[in-house]
Amino acid sequence: GQQVMQIPQYQHVQEGEDFTTYCNSSTTLSNIQWYKQRPGGHPVFLIQLVKSGEVKKQKRLTFQFGEAKKNSSLHITATQTTDVGTYFCAGDDYKLSFGAGTTVTVRA
Amino acid sequence: SAVISQKPSRDICQRGTSLTIQCQVDSQVTMMFWYRQQPGQSLTLIATANQGSEATYESGFVIDKFPISRPNLTFSTLTVSNMSPEDSSIYLCSVPEGRGYGYTFGSGTRLTVV
């Protein structure tokens, strides 16, 4: 089945800095989704990417889907304390296969 | 998006006992999914629950250990049977939101087995 790898596992960021988390799949994905899980919370859907090379933005978050539809990235600019949490990518093949997640902490 | 009520939110259970987790959705959905999230880990799919048919279990999960009921299109239960400390995890249900809108998750059940 699908295997989705995600790096880095942890990201410690100074407030105001940028960071990127990356996902790679062993197979071509029909689509990839991104979720955010706040500490003590449940995953919340952020976005879905479907098309090869697709780029979508949500305020300070930029999501990208690779040309081969095997990789994806999430870039956050000017990190804020509200960005704290774990960001998961997930391949969707009628069921989600989650990456390991990137846990983000922010130094004020 | 769907609203999911998941109960209980947390429980502490003795080993060897069973716990049933409930998810109630405010709309009818064909498929519901049950996940396990071990401490500090990612989400692992346990099974897919379809109304009117037996649940489909992922590799490593069996019906005797995690029986699932799906009596109608808005409700499902997951039972964690004959629990051991290794079953201590967060269990979450999830439903699809339709094309382009991902999945909505319940608030989770934090289970501790002692």
Side-chain angles (χ1 to χ4, degrees), chain A:
Chain A
Q2 274 181 8
Q3 284 194 334
V4 179
M5 309 300 180
Q6 187 173 357
I7 58 170
Q9 186 175 2
Y10 299 100
Q11 187 79 53
H12 308 290
V13 188
Q14 181 72 41
E15 190 173 17
E17 290 184 342
D18 303 353
F19 75 89
T20 304
T21 173
Y22 301 89
C23 277
N24 284 289
S25 170
S26 56
T27 59
T28 301
L29 300 168
S30 59
N31 70 78
I32 193 159
Q33 301 175 20
W34 285 88
Y35 291 79
K36 178 181 179 181
Q37 184 174 26
R38 295 182 185 274
H42 57 277
V44 174
F45 174 73
L46 294 176
I47 209 157
Q48 176 177 294
L49 304 170
V50 178
K51 299 177 183 177
S52 170
E54 189 170 15
V55 178
K56 288 188 176 180
K57 292 189 175 184
Q58 288 181 350
K59 298 183 180 179
R60 296 178 295 102
L61 278 61
T62 301
F63 304 85
Q64 194 160 4
F65 204 7
E67 294 291 340
K69 299 183 69 174
K70 285 188 172 184
N71 56 49
S72 182
S73 64
L74 160 59
H75 181 79
I76 299 182
T77 59
T79 304
Q80 300 177 357
T81 55
T82 53
D83 295 324
V84 164
T86 301
Y87 294 84
F88 292 100
C89 61
D92 185 8
D93 185 18
Y94 299 103
K95 55 187 178 182
L96 293 179
S97 297
F98 281 84
T102 296
T103 298
V104 177
T105 55
V106 179
R107 300 188 301 273

Side-chain angles (χ1 to χ4, degrees), chain A residues 9 33 35 37 40-43 45 48 88 92 94-96 98-101, chain B residues 31 33 35 37 41-43 45 58 92 99-103 105-107 110:
Chain A
Q9 186 175 2
Q33 301 175 20
Y35 291 79
Q37 184 174 26
H42 57 277
F45 174 73
Q48 176 177 294
F88 292 100
D92 185 8
Y94 299 103
K95 55 187 178 182
L96 293 179
F98 281 84
Chain B
M31 299 169 74
F33 300 86
Y35 290 85
Q37 186 174 27
Q41 302 297 312
S42 184
L43 286 83
L45 182 64
E58 298 299 307
L92 302 114
R99 189 179 295 274
Y101 296 97
Y103 293 72
F105 285 81
S107 54
R110 187 178 296 270

Side-chain angles (χ1 to χ4, degrees), chain B residues 26-42:
Chain B
D26 69 342
S27 57
Q28 294 185 338
V29 291
T30 304
M31 299 169 74
M32 291 181 71
F33 300 86
W34 287 96
Y35 290 85
R36 182 176 71 184
Q37 186 174 27
Q38 294 178 305
Q41 302 297 312
S42 184

